[in-house]
Each structure stands twice: as C-alpha cells, then as structure tokens.
Amino acid sequence: MGWAIALHGGAGDIPKDLPPELREPREVCLRYCLQMGVDALKAHKSPLDVVELVVRELENNPYFNAGKGSVLTSNGTVEMEACIMDGNTKNCGAVSGLTTVVNAISLARLVMEKTPHIYLAFEGAEAFAREQGVETMDPSHFITPRNIERLKQAKEANRVQVDYNTRPIPKDEKPPGPNGDSQLG
Amino acid sequence: TVGCVAVDSYGHLAAATSTGGLVNKMVGRIGDTPIIGAGTYANKICAVSATGQGDAIIRATVARDVAALMEYKGLSLKEAADYVVEESAPKGTTGLIAVSATGEVTMPFNTTGMFRACATEDGHTELAIW
C-alpha cells in the first residue's frame, strides 16, 4: 500500500474551547512536520531517519511537552526522555532524566547505534551526550513561562498533570475506572 | 509528549517518542515513553507511539499489545489499536498512533483529545485534535 506516516503532539483532556492562540501554533507545527515527513519519505529516506527528523522538530517547538517546552518536575526542573525503535531489526535506544540535551530523540538513537545498551539515564546519559558532542543547552533554555505557571497551578492543587489536563490528576486519587467520566488523560 | 511512526514503500517501519513527562512529577520518575513496548514499539508488522497517562500505558503495555494482537490474533492494525485503546487502557488515559507494514494508519484515543496528523501514499491526509 505504499508509504505512510503519523505523528502526535500529545493526548489528554484538551478542552474543546482551547483558545486559538494555543490551538493554531500547534496545528501549524503539526502541518509543517507532516509535510517534512512526507517529503523525506518521498526522498526515500529510511523510516528511522524520518521519525527522528519529525520528532526533533516537535521537540524544538515550545508548544509541545518535549525538548523546549517540557513540563516541570515538582522541583521546577526539566527531566526529558525519549525512545526510538527500528522495526526491521528491533534495534532500539532510550534515554531518561536529561536536563541539557536539546534533542533527546537523537541521543536515544546514538545509544542504539553507538553503545551495546538500549537505555541510558540521568548522569550516565548526560555524560554520553557530552562524549558524543550532541547539542546541549543550559537547563533554563527548556523552561517556558507557561510551564512555570502550570507547575504553580498543579502545586496549588497538589496534583500531577498529564500533557493537556485542565483539571490536574489528584496525587492521592487514582484515576476513575474505565467507565468513569474521566477528565484525565 | 510527541511521537512519530513511519513506514516506507518497502514496508520498513520505525517509531519514535519524546517527552518532558508529567507536570509536578517526582524527580526521577520515568514514564511510558522510553519503556520499549509501553510508549514506543516497532517490529516487522507495525510501529506504535503512545501518549497520555504514562503509568496506565506502562501497566497496559500498550504499544506491544497492538503488535501482539496483530501477530498472534491476526487482527488488522485498526482492530488491534482500537481494542487496546478501548478495552485494555483505562478510559481517559491513552492515545496512540500506529502504522503497519502494509501502509495502514490509525490514531485512536480515549482521552478528550489528541494532537495528531497523518498522511499515506494514496493521498489521504488528516490533521485533528478532538
């Protein structure tokens, strides 16, 4: 049936009345990334190159929860993680706990291709990033005013929030069961 | 969370997912994204990238389940992904994108919305939120 591509920018409790100033930049980015991926597939780039290319672009967009624009931990810090997998060989690479790496997905690919391991995390992953010479920035580069505000809201409500929850998930409360009218996600 | 899955005209597949995690998460908390078979998975049959509430996605091994239903039960990509999202993962916690080696695409979710887009060689394109 030929080539195909899909991409996402996160799921959750995205309010139907999301204001245009928050909806439109995301739609513009999704449309741009889709076209970039289609052009790469038409140019016979490998699916691995295509998915890395697209996710890098999404990581660099501050409107999505990855890379620049990552949401904040309870300490107000950023901890980024990523994973890439090749279907033919089942080779895969994963990283967690990154605080300075601009494109976590590219470091995950380097773990897959340059180490005998699948997963590197925290200071080991950061050290590997420096060894590989990938682009890094000061942690403050990844923090946006909007996410500082979201952390403040979540702390006031003593809850954690998924990508787009308007109503954060109570830390002490388990999400409602499958048939519950869930506002989570 | 952001993700991408792709299949080329030879049927080769790949999946990639990246995230900042949960707002106000504990320091050191790992979500579904880097866990192979939970938030990200690819084999010779399909490629899957999931998003939503990571803890629920890990428990349901969402990405691997889609591939396993296709491999062992012979379900189509859409049937397998719909089953996992509607039956396995708790309501309101999970969305995923997936492509198959034969060029099928599916983007089901059981949350209020999911930012998503797709395109296929036969000209179909889609960009949606809800």
Side-chain angles (χ1 to χ4, degrees):
Chain A
M1 272 166 69
W3 56 257
I5 183 171
L7 51 111
H8 70 77
D13 188 2
I14 306 173
K16 288 278 172 46
D17 58 354
L18 190 67
E21 63 272 16
L22 289 180
R23 178 169 48 79
E24 284 160 9
R26 289 179 170 103
E27 288 175 338
V28 165
C29 179
L30 286 177
R31 192 167 290 112
Y32 174 76
C33 290
L34 183 66
Q35 192 53 53
M36 194 171 63
V38 168
D39 294 345
L41 281 168
K42 285 179 175 173
H44 298 294
K45 283 207 180 289
S46 73
L48 209 54
D49 290 341
V50 173
V51 297
E52 182 190 3
L53 195 71
V54 168
V55 169
R56 281 174 65 94
E57 191 64 30
L58 290 164
E59 285 173 333
N60 294 337
N61 184 298
Y63 282 95
F64 292 113
N65 171 23
K68 186 177 175 60
S70 288
V71 296
L72 306 181
T73 70
S74 52
N75 279 6
T77 57
V78 161
E79 284 185 358
M80 301 172 281
E81 52 194 20
C83 179
I84 192 165
M85 188 162 187
D86 174 43
N88 259 12
T89 59
K90 286 196 191 172
N91 284 342
C92 44
V95 287
S96 280
L98 300 181
T99 55
T100 67
V101 176
V102 173
N103 292 110
I105 196 64
S106 295
L107 190 67
R109 183 167 183 179
L110 286 169
V111 170
M112 177 175 85
E113 294 177 340
K114 307 270 189 198
T115 79
H117 306 307
I118 286 180
Y119 198 156
L120 288 180
F122 298 95
E123 59 277 3
E126 287 284 339
F128 178 64
R130 286 188 194 354
E131 182 193 304
Q132 293 297 317
V134 299
E135 187 185 1
T136 58
M137 296 288 276
D138 182 85
S140 58
H141 163 79
F142 303 95
I143 297 176
T144 61
R146 190 151 27 90
N147 281 327
I148 292 171
E149 178 55 30
R150 285 180 69 185
L151 176 59
K152 193 161 141 277
Q153 284 171 12
K155 277 184 173 297
E156 279 155 16
N158 182 33
R159 295 151 182 228
V160 295
Q161 256 184 7
V162 190
D163 288 352
Y164 295 98
N165 263 37
T166 48
R167 189 179 72 83
I169 307 162
K171 264 187 173 171
D172 46 0
E173 187 186 312
K174 282 278 170 277
N179 52 0
D181 177 20
S182 164
Q183 293 303 309
L184 309 178
Chain B
T1 307
V2 299
C4 183
V5 289
V7 58
D8 64 12
S9 33
Y10 306 103
H12 300 156
L13 292 145
T17 317
S18 181
T19 188
L22 288 177
V23 183
N24 198 22
K25 70 182 179 187
M26 287 175 68
V27 171
R29 179 262 185 188
I30 306 287
D32 63 291
T33 292
I35 310 291
I36 302 294
T40 311
Y41 188 75
N43 62 9
K44 290 184 193 290
I45 298 169
C46 67
V48 185
S49 173
T51 174
Q53 217 186 94
D55 311 276
I57 292 168
I58 292 173
R59 282 191 204 98
T61 59
V62 163
R64 172 60 195 152
D65 272 22
V66 173
L69 286 168
M70 292 184 75
E71 187 174 353
Y72 301 129
K73 283 195 78 169
L75 298 192
S76 72
L77 181 75
K78 180 171 178 0
E79 289 166 340
D82 285 351
Y83 180 85
V84 170
V85 167
E86 293 312 323
E87 305 299 331
S88 297
K91 180 173 162 32
T93 64
T94 301
L96 67 86
I97 56 172
V99 291
S100 71
T102 56
E104 298 167 276
V105 184
T106 189
M107 305 189 287
F109 55 96
N110 65 25
T111 55
T112 312
M114 176 167 76
F115 288 96
R116 62 195 187 281
C118 71
T120 58
E121 189 163 0
D122 60 8
H124 170 73
T125 63
E126 184 181 338
L127 191 151
I129 298 174
W130 294 282

